[in-house]
Amino acid sequence: AVGVSFDAGTPGETTLVLAEGHEAGVYASGLRSPRFMAVAPDGTLVVAETGANQVVALPDRDGDGQADEKIVIGGYTDAQTTGNNDFLAMRILADGSGLDTTFNGVGATTIAYDFGGKFDDRAYSVAIQGDGKIVLGGYGTALGEMLEV
């Protein structure tokens, strides 16, 4: 099988060698610099897509081994004029039909780590806790200094 390697340096093609009797396939493609992955309790793969500055859910509802769609569930708000970006988290309905309004009343929330100075807070990483809660990680700025949050 031929795939694309994003491990280090310039991406390029690589060869995957599998033990006899095993096979591999492409679950999702077109992701921009995927970095951290976690599996939600319902089996949905959640990926931090760092090249697109977002966190996405990749459900496989029909069980065919391929993601049915890419749903943005986190990242940061894009305040280009003010530079006051905040973490953004969203919860999508299990069937992918829209936002789950039982989450914060609208299906989304922003988290501001306003430490002073330019308020630029960006979520780039994701983890799923045992209770199913999504944890976002990234950075915030304080008086021009970056802080990991």
Side-chain angles (χ1 to χ4, degrees), residues 42 59 61 69 71 91-102:
D42 69 354
R61 292 182 201 89
E69 62 183 316
I71 305 168
R91 185 184 301 158
I92 307 300
L93 294 169
D95 65 3
S97 64
L99 294 174
D100 179 354
T101 57
T102 65

Side-chain angles (χ1 to χ4, degrees), residues 27-108:
Y27 182 79
S29 62
L31 299 174
R32 294 178 48 205
S33 300
R35 185 169 176 189
F36 297 103
M37 294 182 278
V39 178
D42 69 354
T44 298
L45 182 64
V46 180
V47 179
E49 193 178 5
T50 59
N53 299 320
Q54 62 190 12
V55 178
V56 297
L58 302 168
D60 177 16
R61 292 182 201 89
D62 58 10
D64 67 355
Q66 295 181 343
D68 300 319
E69 62 183 316
K70 179 170 79 170
I71 305 168
V72 177
I73 60 169
Y76 63 91
T77 59
D78 188 9
Q80 295 178 2
T81 57
T82 65
N84 188 14
N85 300 311
D86 295 324
F87 275 39
L88 171 67
M90 296 181 288
R91 185 184 301 158
I92 307 300
L93 294 169
D95 65 3
S97 64
L99 294 174
D100 179 354
T101 57
T102 65
F103 178 64
N104 197 40
V106 295

